[in-house]
Amino acid sequence: MNSKPSNAFIGASWVALLAGMVAYNVGLWNATMPLNEKGYYFTILLYGLFAAVSLQKTVRDQLEGIPITNIYYGLCWFATLSAVLLLTVGLWNATLTLSEKGFYAMAFMLSLFAAIAVQKNTRDSRLGGSTADTAAESPLPRLE
């Protein structure tokens, strides 16, 4: 695909990211769980967002022929999957109602998906498209 993302898609991606993050954090703020448990869930959100964006970038770099080390690629997959697993284990063992567990899980997944979309849109907008030729001239730093 050689075109920039539409403004509507860019806006929808940012709205989804903000909605997921705000909902998740408002839920944490209003939760009656201890502060250390709130910190755990907040840290998992930040870890998951970073891991998902990093994974998206490495996958995209590989598709565009930009060299990525196998260890970094593997670490990105491990980090993303471990964030989801850590949230799952935390919610499984939490003394929350089933609806609260579902709320946190859905807000978390919405945030991860939206972070990937925002990162993709940002990269496509800066590059003017998503071709390997323009990626080689990109002002964005390469992860190697």
Side-chain angles (χ1 to χ4, degrees), residues 9 13 17 48-57 60 80 109-123:
F9 185 62
S13 300
L17 178 60
L49 291 173
F50 181 79
V53 167
S54 209
L55 176 61
Q56 193 276 341
K57 184 188 178 342
R60 180 83 175 266
T80 303
M109 295 309 290
L110 172 64
S111 297
L112 291 189
F113 173 78
I116 291 169
V118 166
Q119 196 276 341
K120 178 201 173 302
N121 292 339
T122 301
R123 183 170 176 162

Side-chain angles (χ1 to χ4, degrees), residues 40-59:
Y40 172 81
Y41 288 114
F42 181 70
T43 303
I44 293 301
L45 176 66
L46 296 180
Y47 177 50
L49 291 173
F50 181 79
V53 167
S54 209
L55 176 61
Q56 193 276 341
K57 184 188 178 342
T58 59
V59 168

Side-chain angles (χ1 to χ4, degrees), residues 15-16 34 36 38 41 50 52 57-58 69-71 88 90 95 97 139:
V15 167
N36 64 333
K38 289 181 181 185
Y41 288 114
F50 181 79
K57 184 188 178 342
T58 59
T69 62
N70 288 334
I71 192 159
T88 303
T95 56
T97 63

Side-chain angles (χ1 to χ4, degrees), residues 5 8 30 32 40 47 51 60 78 102 104 106 124 126:
N30 291 318
T32 58
Y40 172 81
Y47 177 50
R60 180 83 175 266
F78 175 78
Y104 285 115
M106 289 300 104
D124 287 350
R126 289 185 76 182

Side-chain angles (χ1 to χ4, degrees), residues 22 27 30 37 61 72 81 85 95 99 110 124-125 132:
V22 168
N30 291 318
E37 197 172 342
D61 284 352
Y72 188 76
L81 295 174
L85 179 65
T95 56
S99 61
L110 172 64
D124 287 350
S125 295

